[in-house]
Amino acid sequence: PAMNCRAEVLEVSVEGRQVEEAMLAVLHTVLLHRSTGKFHYKKEGTYSIGTVGTQDVDCDFIDFAYVRVSSEELDRALRKAVGEFKDALRSSGSDGMGQISLEFYQKKKSRWPFSDECIPWELWTIKVNVVNLANEQERQICREKVGEKLCEKIINIVEVMNRHEYLPKMPTQSEVDNVFDTSLKDVQPYLYKISYQITDSLGTSVTTTMRRLIKDTLAL
Amino acid sequence: AMDTDLSSQDRKDLDKFIKFFALKTVQVIVQARLGEKICTRSSSSPTGSDWFNLAIKDIPEVTHEAKKALAGQLPAVGRSMCVEISLKTSEGDSMELEIWCLEMNEKCDKEIKVSYTVYNRLSLLLKSLLAITRVTPAYRLSRKQGHEYVILYRIYFGEVQLSGLGEGFQTVRVGTVGTPVGTITLSCAYRINLAFMSTRQFERTPPIMGIIIDHFVDRPYPSSSPMHPCNYRGGEDNGAVYPTVEDSQEVCTTSFSTSPPSQCVFTVTKAHFQTPSPVVTDTLKVPVMGLAFSHQLSSSRLSYQPAALGVGSADMGYPVLFAGGLNAAHPHQLIGPGKEGGVPPVPSQPAHGTQADQERMCTPLDGVHYSAATPSSSEDTETVSNSSEGKCGSPHDLLETIFIRKVGAFVNKPINQVTMANLDIPFAMFAPKNVELEDSDPMVNPPDSPETESPLQGSLHSEGSSGSSTGNTQDDFVMIDFKPAFSKDDILPMDLGTFYREFQNPPQLSSLSIDIGAQSMAEDLDSLPEKLAVHEKNVKEFDAFVETLQ
């Protein structure tokens, strides 16, 4: 139970082949705002921050482009999560509804024998509705429409980011792993986890949680 | 009263942050409209030149234009920095697409920590700007520029002018950052009529001109692409020669303290300058930034366009070239001969008349007072150009500060030979006004472009020849006894060969003649929705018509 976890929900309707790109666009945009350069701690309790590069990504199935952080590790982790989500959507049945969540959390160390607590402070949920299109003309219109919708989502995300609401305090060196994911070599996102739910045709939810995606990816 | 709450060092830092935030804002916006994908690399070690911990390249000309517009001032109440993005067609018509506004309002946040919170929020705001610049309609247009139109930018400082955006323009807020001296606001007002002109229209028309409009000015290394690839950072850490002039102009690494915010400590790493060891100070709120800069500033050499130059070259509509700015951290990077430092001279940019400026020593980078150590702003008097020229005045004024893309890699012609390009049919509805003659038109005639097969090409060629269809380009080709296959047609009682000969040099379309009253492009754009609606209504008729052709 989070004290102050703000939650944002976005909804998109997309064609099956657009699911991945649409999810990546949203997730990357959020993580762009929630990643910093790598911290380098020095003496006297000071630290310096590395540099975050960015790059444009063009979508193939949507008339849309977005900016993401220049980090192949991060991109891979997101692609893996989104790929699993897409597969789950596809194999779930004809309804094609589900949601993918990006949660930012802090770790709170507990004394033995209790395990560390994960306290979420921001939760982004993207609700996805997969549509089936009949012909090429509809697909073309869908390319443009979804592109326009994603533009709106980016604006929504930026609005939330601009509220300058709660962010974890900048941690000391000993605490940094409770706030940030320091496992990547070039950037440092806040600790996050991605999970998804598929709604089957009966309307019930099937939950799959994937933890520490980056660790999983690197373990491969 | 405000200043007593803010320490003088905080004030200096804040001014510097705002100044560089403004410069980076301009870079992000302009780079997002160049028509190319941007890619910069993350670097885990602070390089000392990346403001706000973001890898945003500095196009020197853009920085120059921004500084020129700011003229040593900072955004303040009633004095906003605006970046105007407009589209200019091959026919010479131009239209404002967006105005990006960096404004300051009076709402102060006295409690906020300058060196820490403000800095990080400015960084966040730049990220938001990166994201938002991709979602306004002009982005997709700018990605497709080059064939029928180019995207131009203009920076001005003063009052925001939105009247050129047409009716019903929309605004999107990028974000705000509160500071002890006011709240910084970044937003964009954009024309929406363009949505109808969307990329579809430009996509369908095949490029008539086979040129690629390259970046604004000559690069010192012509073989390199205008935007550096992600791997450009190769040689940066060795502190020796730097391959580009586009590193940001001042060192800006900051260190943050994890102790209570009041103990923020700054270090500046002069990794790229002569003293390799970081200058670390360990007292509270040490003005390290200021001190670090005092050394660099006194030896920095920046070249500004003198006011005298401004009008002359701009009249011709050429990019306002300048002798490749020397940035504070890398004094060896100046393009030009005879610079101090061990760098071999690189070919200087062809700056008309600015050659003399290369040798000119400027002292502090601008009028903002950073610290007592810097010589008092003798260059306050150096206001380069009047900020009042930012007003949207006559087209003449507009040209004065517009950058016009120059001919790029694929064109043989030197930049002087800009001529009116072949007019593009989709724009035929826009009656050309008294367009400036060839030497100010940004589009270049393609050299021997094989695509120019349209029989109308001759008559569309140049308005300067008062509409007479000379059909020059077709004279080389004489058709003799042409017996094309499948040339019999039931509708027209002539064969294809006859048809071709007869219609090889048609009279110019009346809508293209200069005599037609100047209908504003905005009006035409406004009427587009109606026209489209009418067309949609008559879809069945069109379909039936198409059937008759089959």
Side-chain angles (χ1 to χ4, degrees), chain B residues 135-394:
Chain B
V135 304
T136 54
Y139 179 72
R140 295 188 59 74
L141 278 176
S142 66
R143 288 293 299 269
K144 295 183 165 63
Q145 68 183 292
H147 295 122
E148 297 139 12
Y149 60 90
V150 284
I151 304 291
L152 308 176
Y153 75 93
R154 178 173 84 95
I155 307 170
Y156 63 90
F157 188 73
E159 277 193 34
V160 180
Q161 290 144 21
L162 300 179
S163 50
L165 293 175
E167 298 228 336
F169 62 84
Q170 290 197 352
T171 54
V172 59
R173 171 186 272 201
V174 183
T176 63
V177 174
T179 79
V181 303
T183 298
I184 296 166
T185 313
L186 187 53
S187 59
C188 173
Y190 58 95
R191 171 186 284 277
I192 55 163
N193 290 336
L194 215 52
F196 290 96
M197 281 189 76
S198 77
T199 53
R200 244 187 289 175
Q201 187 154 5
F202 302 106
E203 269 165 44
R204 282 200 209 120
T205 314
I208 289 184
M209 301 179 302
I211 60 168
I212 294 176
I213 305 285
D214 206 336
H215 190 44
F216 295 103
V217 293
D218 290 337
R219 293 273 150 203
Y221 302 85
S223 58
S224 61
S225 61
M227 298 313 301
H228 284 268
C230 278
N231 58 3
Y232 117 100
R233 291 194 170 277
E236 232 180 25
D237 293 335
N238 57 19
V241 178
Y242 293 91
T244 73
V245 292
E246 278 135 15
D247 291 316
S248 67
Q249 303 209 342
E250 291 190 25
V251 176
C252 63
T253 313
T254 58
S255 258
F256 297 91
S257 168
T258 52
S259 351
S262 60
Q263 286 178 21
C264 282
V265 167
F266 280 83
T267 67
V268 173
T269 310
K270 294 202 257 184
H272 304 294
F273 202 48
Q274 279 123 0
T275 42
S277 57
V279 175
V280 180
T281 57
D282 53 2
T283 56
L284 295 177
K285 293 199 178 168
V286 175
V288 174
M289 272 201 181
L291 285 178
F293 284 110
S294 67
H295 171 61
Q296 296 173 9
L297 287 175
S298 60
S299 63
S300 75
R301 297 168 59 141
L302 253 198
S303 63
Y304 277 114
Q305 295 278 6
L309 173 74
V311 176
S313 66
D315 272 355
M316 298 179 49
Y318 287 124
V320 183
L321 300 174
F322 69 110
L326 176 73
N327 65 64
H330 313 286
H332 313 293
Q333 277 187 358
L334 180 67
I335 298 182
K339 293 293 166 275
E340 65 223 16
V343 179
V346 269
S348 61
Q349 297 181 356
H352 353 240
T354 58
Q355 203 64 35
D357 280 351
Q358 271 185 299
E359 312 305 328
R360 194 162 65 115
M361 177 83 97
C362 300
T363 40
L365 287 168
D366 49 48
V368 178
H369 305 130
Y370 291 128
S371 74
T374 57
S376 77
S377 14
S378 57
E379 54 115 60
D380 270 351
T381 58
E382 250 172 16
T383 35
V384 195
S385 55
N386 319 319
S387 52
S388 63
E389 86 181 347
K391 300 286 179 209
C392 258
S394 60

Side-chain angles (χ1 to χ4, degrees), chain A residues 32-33 35 40 42 45-47 49-56 58 63 67 70 144 158 162 164 170-171 185, chain B residues 37-40 42-44 46 50 53 55 116 124 127-128 134 140 143 174-176 200 255-258:
Chain A
L32 167 68
H33 290 81
S35 301
H40 296 275
K42 302 182 249 199
T46 66
Y47 61 95
I49 306 181
T51 299
V52 172
T54 57
Q55 55 190 258
D56 279 305
D58 286 340
D63 287 348
V67 175
S70 288
E144 294 166 16
V158 163
N162 180 57
H164 299 306
M170 282 301 144
K185 72 178 199 309
Chain B
K37 285 165 72 164
I38 305 298
C39 177
T40 60
S42 301
S43 164
S44 84
D50 296 318
N53 308 119
Y116 177 74
L124 197 69
K127 291 173 180 174
S128 295
R134 274 64 177 174
R140 295 188 59 74
R143 288 293 299 269
V174 183
T176 63
R200 244 187 289 175
S255 258
F256 297 91
S257 168
T258 52

Side-chain angles (χ1 to χ4, degrees), chain B residues 432-443:
Chain B
K433 302 163 189 148
N434 286 335
V435 181
E436 301 86 342
L437 283 183
E438 298 176 346
D439 60 4
S440 62
D441 191 284
M443 306 302 279

